[in-house]
Amino acid sequence: MKRIYLDNAAATPIGAKSLSTMVATTKKFPGNPSGIHKEGRDARAFLERSRGQVAGVLFARPDEIVFTSGATEANNMAVIGVVHSARTRGIMNPHVIVSAIEHPSVLEAALYLKSSGVRVDYLPVDSRGLVNTKEIRKLITPETVLVSVMYANNEIGTIEPIIDIAKEVRHARKVNGSVYPYFHTDAAQAGNYLDMNVLKLGVDLMTLSSGKTYGPRGIGALFVKRMVEMCPLMHGGGHEGNRRPGTEPVALAVGFSVALKESQSIREKESSRLQKLRDTLATKILKKVSGASVNGSLEHGLPNILNISFDGVESEALVLYLDAAGIAVSGKSACRSSTSGPSHVILAVGESADMQVGSIRFSLGSDTKSEDIARVANEVSRIVPLLREAQAQSDQV
Ligand code: PMP
């Protein structure tokens, strides 16, 4: 039985060109880019070409790209690095604003700062998962050093109004007569489907993840606009413009840059293909299964993410039954599946804790075909009543 993989928001398969370029680079044995010998210079050339390619996709300058181990590190670097730097500039009680539905790597970084006296405010979202741009104006104070709102949510797919938020942040800077606040966006889920032009978006910092854009895992990047002050998280050598020490993973950088460029070059075509499949899947499931509802908003969502709650069904049971039927989906975001308790995202969009128990994320990708959609809808409509029946029987006992 052919497996159907609908967990692309957690990890994408590596693209053929990304893999072959990466393998070819590894075989050529680039040395350490810090070396001044030929092997080192060759490695440096690969690395800088990759940096240039990533920068090109973002309409950024190469020196504005810091390679990291992934989006988690980039998010930590942005949030903690900006606050530490603000303190060195004399802002002793910095204030940070994050949306309520950020990835844990932003929320937990903010929580860590809270323990050292940083004030953190959370921007609420509406039932579609959208932040209200006007709320930002109410929350910003002269001490606000960072606003962090994700480009697109990893659980429900909602695309946030980044351009409008950036305008609010610039307005606040003008009013405060300050370089602060900076605006950071976590674009880990956006690379395959959305415009990544940082000039148009108006962001100061932006997080990328290779493993979500058909590149190798273990690498990502943080765009840091020139003039933005950010302390490094780690200490060591002067790599990545003194912002991230450690020997650079040259082959991973090559694979990442190839994958990101390729994803961006087909993003419009792929977005409209997947949006049709996503909408068909939603229609079929809602028609076949009672007590099912979409979390977030398809209208404002990424074309590849569909999150549905099923009344009276435990998400883990449904994930496991679908897995046995050859279908991979996730019950919450993968990063949270090992932690118990309701998803903060589903709760923030207003579902009750009970309702969210059965929320399932279907995330489509390059391998998703139209024939997969009917099979998934059929299996969901076969399994959900079985699980409800089992639940009703165990309630009776
Ligand atoms: N931010 C978002 C929006 C994500 O979806 C993820 C991955 N689940 C991350 C950050 C963390 O990414 P990584 O695994 O590259 O650290």
Side-chain angles (χ1 to χ4, degrees), residues 186-224:
D186 173 359
Q189 293 291 341
N192 301 324
Y193 309 110
L194 304 181
D195 189 348
M196 303 293 276
N197 182 331
V198 291
L199 301 176
K200 274 197 216 159
L201 293 170
V203 296
D204 302 305
L205 300 117
M206 185 162 86
T207 291
L208 306 176
S209 176
S210 163
K212 319 271 183 214
T213 51
Y214 303 98
R217 318 255 170 88
I219 188 161
L222 182 65
F223 157 75
V224 187

Side-chain angles (χ1 to χ4, degrees), residues 9-10 69-73 75 103 105 150 152-154 186-189 207-212 219 333-335 361:
S69 62
T72 295
E73 186 188 333
N75 283 341
H103 186 267
S105 52
M150 66 204 322
N153 182 266
N154 47 303
D186 173 359
Q189 293 291 341
T207 291
L208 306 176
S209 176
S210 163
K212 319 271 183 214
I219 188 161
S333 101
C335 316
R361 178 185 68 187

Side-chain angles (χ1 to χ4, degrees), residues 275-292:
Q275 187 168 329
K276 282 188 203 113
L277 296 182
R278 180 203 65 176
D279 291 351
T280 308
L281 181 60
T283 309
K284 280 188 190 296
I285 290 177
L286 296 180
K287 201 168 141 199
K288 284 170 182 272
V289 186
S290 64

